[in-house]
Amino acid sequence: MSLRDLAVLYLIAGLACAVAVYRAARAVGGGERRGAALSAALCVPLWPIWAPVALTASRGEPGGSPVTAAAAARVQGALREGVSACAGTSFEALLSREAASRIEAEVTRAAARHAELDALLRQSGFDEAAAAARVAEIERGGAPGRALATAHLHLENIRRLRAMRDRDARALEELADLVQALRTQLVLARFAGSTVEGVGGIVSEVWARVEGLGAAMDAHGGAGYEEPIET
């Protein structure tokens, strides 16, 4: 096979990867064309390097967005270290492996929900600024009240979804900070000989946050975006 033939095959592979990246980027980005086109263009000359990166980014990580994925990783790391620190001591009943697994499962569930909401709100149909502009446009045009009510409903739904997403992110960050503090307290208790009572307070707070996280997810599991009323 000649160098020219290899170049043709390389170009064909690059074009095929570019098409795949473009479609994946449009699907995740809610139809946004410019970013998808730029990503696809990079694939033609650099497909062996860029295609895996672009396709992985388009699929998204199951653990959540970068912010919540980092918080979930902090929780998991701190829990494992905390379990190791209290293993074989009087503190073991406070943070057993089973308890740590339950906390990790709740955190993973919350991070996945945050990622789903974040991806949804990046789509063009969930743009808060565009929804607010539509409300203002209808108000200026004096359209029937039903049309204005539909636009207001759409805007309010988007704002509720954004509030839920942001609340999940804050809750995960706060829980990560608390679990890390628990980890250091358990390590200190192990080496300083602190009492169980000294650790019990922060363990109770961790469980309260975890239960609150789960309750919020269950309460809002069926509440979310409502389809606008057709006019």
Side-chain angles (χ1 to χ4, degrees):
M1 185 177 289
S2 67
L3 183 60
R4 180 178 179 181
D5 292 334
L6 288 173
V8 171
L9 289 175
Y10 187 95
L11 179 60
I12 292 173
L15 291 173
C17 289
V19 171
V21 167
Y22 181 80
R23 289 177 177 174
R26 287 288 302 277
V28 173
E32 201 278 332
R33 295 183 179 182
R34 184 176 180 182
L38 290 174
S39 184
L42 283 174
C43 259
V44 177
L46 302 173
W47 67 265
I49 299 173
W50 181 247
V53 174
L55 290 173
T56 299
S58 296
R59 286 195 301 269
E61 295 297 327
S65 68
V67 174
T68 53
R74 286 202 292 140
V75 170
Q76 292 167 358
L79 282 173
R80 289 165 189 166
E81 292 175 17
V83 168
S84 297
C86 63
T89 71
S90 58
F91 305 111
E92 189 169 8
L94 292 175
L95 188 63
S96 64
R97 293 186 185 279
E98 292 75 14
S101 296
R102 285 177 56 197
I103 295 172
E104 284 190 32
E106 203 64 58
V107 167
T108 299
R109 192 163 71 107
R113 182 178 106 133
H114 179 275
E116 185 178 359
L117 284 170
D118 191 58
L120 182 71
L121 289 166
R122 291 179 185 275
Q123 296 180 17
S124 59
F126 293 84
D127 188 314
E128 183 179 356
R134 177 58 178 162
V135 169
E137 179 185 357
I138 293 175
E139 289 176 339
R140 288 194 303 270
R146 185 176 176 82
L148 182 59
T150 298
H152 272 297
L153 175 63
H154 179 55
L155 176 59
E156 180 60 26
N157 285 336
I158 292 173
R159 286 173 173 168
R160 287 178 59 195
L161 288 168
R162 289 176 64 90
M164 291 165 64
R165 180 199 60 183
D166 295 344
R167 183 172 58 249
D168 284 351
R170 287 194 302 271
L172 285 168
E173 286 288 341
E174 291 169 1
L175 180 60
D177 291 340
L178 190 60
V179 173
Q180 285 187 315
L182 171 61
R183 181 265 317 274
T184 56
Q185 189 165 356
L186 287 169
V187 172
L188 177 62
R190 181 184 182 94
F191 290 100
S194 301
T195 64
V196 174
E197 289 76 13
V199 180
I202 192 169
V203 171
S204 298
E205 178 65 18
V206 167
W207 277 114
R209 295 294 183 95
V210 171
E211 290 171 2
L213 194 64
M217 296 226 2
D218 294 337
H220 296 288
Y225 179 73
E226 300 176 28
E227 289 294 336
I229 304 168
E230 293 294 335
T231 59

